[in-house]
Structures are given as C-alpha cells and as structure tokens.
Amino acid sequence: AQSVSQHNHHVILSEAASLELGCNYSYGGTVNLFWYVQYPGQHLQLLLKYFSGDPLVKGIKGFEAEFIKSKFSFNLRKPSVQWSDTAEYFCAVTSNYGGATNKLIFGTGTLLAVQP
Amino acid sequence: GAVVSQHPSRVICKSGTSVKIECRSLDFQATTMFWYRQFPKKSLMLMATSNEGSKATYEQGVEKDKFLINHASLTLSTLTVTSAHPEDSSFYICSAGNSVLETQYFGPGTRLLVL
C-alpha cells in the first residue's frame, strides 16, 4: 500500500537552529515527491518538489530536500530557521505520470514551532 | 501562479441539513479536482477524486451518498454534505490540477461546524 510517514510530529526549535524533518515513503513505482507548508490560518503552499534529476532540490524560503532512493526518503532541511517558519509541514508522494491529475498521498504532518 | 478558491470559508449548520461547498479554479482549467478532509492535528485525508464530466472516485470508507461530488465544468467542483451530523464537522480542502500542471493547487479550505 502507498504510504508516507513523517517521524517528527512536533518539533520545537530556537531561531537560527538547523532543521531536518524526516519523510519516508512506500510506493510501488517511480514517484514525484513534495513538501507542502501550511502556515497558521492559511492554505497549503508548495515548498519544493522532486520529479527527476539532481536529488538535492531547493525550494522557497531557503528550504531544501534530498531524495535518497535507496532509503525511500525525502528529508526536508533548512540551515537556520526563523520565527516565521512556524507552521505545519507535510510530505507527499504521487506517481510520476499524468501531471497534477494524480492523487497525493500525504504524511501525517510535522508541526514546527520556532521560538524567538 | 494558479489560484483555487473555496466558498464558503466557514459554515455553521444544523444537524440534518445539507451543505454545499464550492471549489473553483480561477485562472486555469481543472480537469481533475480532489476533495480532502483535515482533522485537527491530523493530516489531509483524501475523500474523492473528481474528473470533469464523470463520476467521482471515492476513497475506501467514504460514503458517496453522504458526500456528493459534482464536477460539471472545468472550473467548478462542488461537495455537498447531505444530512450533516456533528461528526461531519471538519475542515474540507479542495485541490485542482490538470495534466499540464506539475502540481495541484489547493484552495483555502472550508470549516464546517454542524450543531
């Protein structure tokens, strides 16, 4: 069965600390991988995505993620978090054909709280 | 970027009534729209996938007679919660996409409270 697991449900960091959020997936085929962010009271926004090529992808707001195929992982990183990064982060996977017509499988989300 | 809207943003209704939620793609044609339900402190649970002009495909465990989905045009899908009960209270989110776009775009969500 297709699934996405996020290991950290709730993370608390101080400003300027480094961040790494884990994401592992189980999917029988070639995948596209995504990280979405949901700021308080706002809708889901795309942080970054991986379709193919360089496994290290850079997204908005200084975030990056690395696809490690052998580990079925797609961890999100940021070297120095800010208070404004306080949000919920979702990892998601879909099959790699059909563009944006394929259903996304979401992880359970990680709530990040950054203390000033 | 592509924009998806939802209406209403929040609704309160009495138990037993029906509620319709609209999802619109404002600047692109959405051949496919998805409806999700988000519980507090939980992830998004996909309820159904709707393709323009055809019947929606429901995920396992989602009652299709209770959650009616219509996708009659390339820019509009509706979710009707029929005979709503308090346990239907939740945050409902739609997303939209097509085969040209690389990613789906999400609406802002509709918070439903059934009293």
Side-chain angles (χ1 to χ4, degrees):
Chain A
Q2 305 157 4
S3 66
V4 177
S5 61
Q6 292 181 238
H7 318 298
N8 317 99
H9 297 294
H10 196 179
V11 173
I12 302 174
L13 295 173
S14 298
E15 276 194 314
S18 64
L19 169 73
E20 179 159 3
L21 302 181
C23 172
N24 286 90
Y25 66 93
S26 171
Y27 198 96
T30 307
V31 297
N32 292 338
L33 295 155
F34 306 83
W35 275 97
Y36 287 88
V37 60
Q38 189 175 30
Y39 297 103
Q42 296 189 27
H43 62 277
L44 278 167
Q45 300 173 41
L46 181 67
L47 264 184
L48 48 77
K49 61 185 185 292
Y50 171 80
F51 287 177
S52 63
D54 189 343
L56 183 62
V57 293
K58 295 189 184 299
I60 60 172
K61 305 186 181 186
F63 286 91
E64 65 179 31
E66 184 174 12
F67 171 52
I68 302 179
K69 189 175 181 179
S70 60
K71 295 184 178 180
F72 298 91
S73 69
F74 190 56
N75 292 354
L76 180 71
R77 299 194 291 249
K78 185 171 184 177
S80 177
V81 295
Q82 302 172 323
W83 177 78
S84 58
D85 293 324
T86 295
E88 190 151 21
Y89 293 81
F90 295 94
C91 181
V93 64
T94 187
S95 65
N96 77 331
Y97 64 91
T101 62
N102 297 310
K103 63 181 183 182
L104 285 164
I105 307 298
F106 281 90
T108 50
T110 297
L111 189 60
L112 171 65
V114 180
Q115 297 174 330
Chain B
V3 180
V4 175
S5 69
Q6 280 184 243
H7 178 81
S9 57
R10 57 183 67 191
V11 56
I12 302 172
C13 69
K14 292 182 179 179
S15 187
T17 61
S18 294
V19 175
K20 181 185 284 188
I21 302 170
E22 292 185 348
C23 177
R24 293 181 185 273
S25 57
L26 300 185
D27 51 4
F28 68 99
Q29 292 186 328
T31 53
T32 306
M33 287 186 170
F34 302 87
W35 286 95
Y36 297 85
R37 185 172 175 176
Q38 187 176 28
F39 294 94
K41 303 185 187 302
K42 297 278 189 181
S43 184
L44 283 79
M45 181 194 80
L46 178 66
M47 299 174 66
T49 303
S50 74
N51 292 296
E52 186 265 338
S54 61
K55 289 184 179 180
T57 302
Y58 290 80
E59 294 298 303
Q60 192 172 12
V62 178
E63 298 176 61
K64 62 181 180 181
D65 294 330
K66 181 168 186 60
F67 297 100
L68 300 178
I69 292 171
N70 184 280
H71 191 167
S73 79
L74 286 171
T75 58
L76 173 65
S77 176
T78 59
L79 167 67
T80 302
V81 183
T82 61
S83 187
H85 290 286
E87 57 265 31
D88 299 325
S89 298
S90 193
F91 194 53
Y92 293 88
I93 301 173
C94 73
S95 68
N98 57 45
S99 60
V100 176
L101 294 172
E102 288 188 326
T103 65
Q104 301 168 23
Y105 288 87
F106 286 81
T110 296
R111 187 161 301 282
L112 170 64
L113 177 61
V114 184
L115 301 177

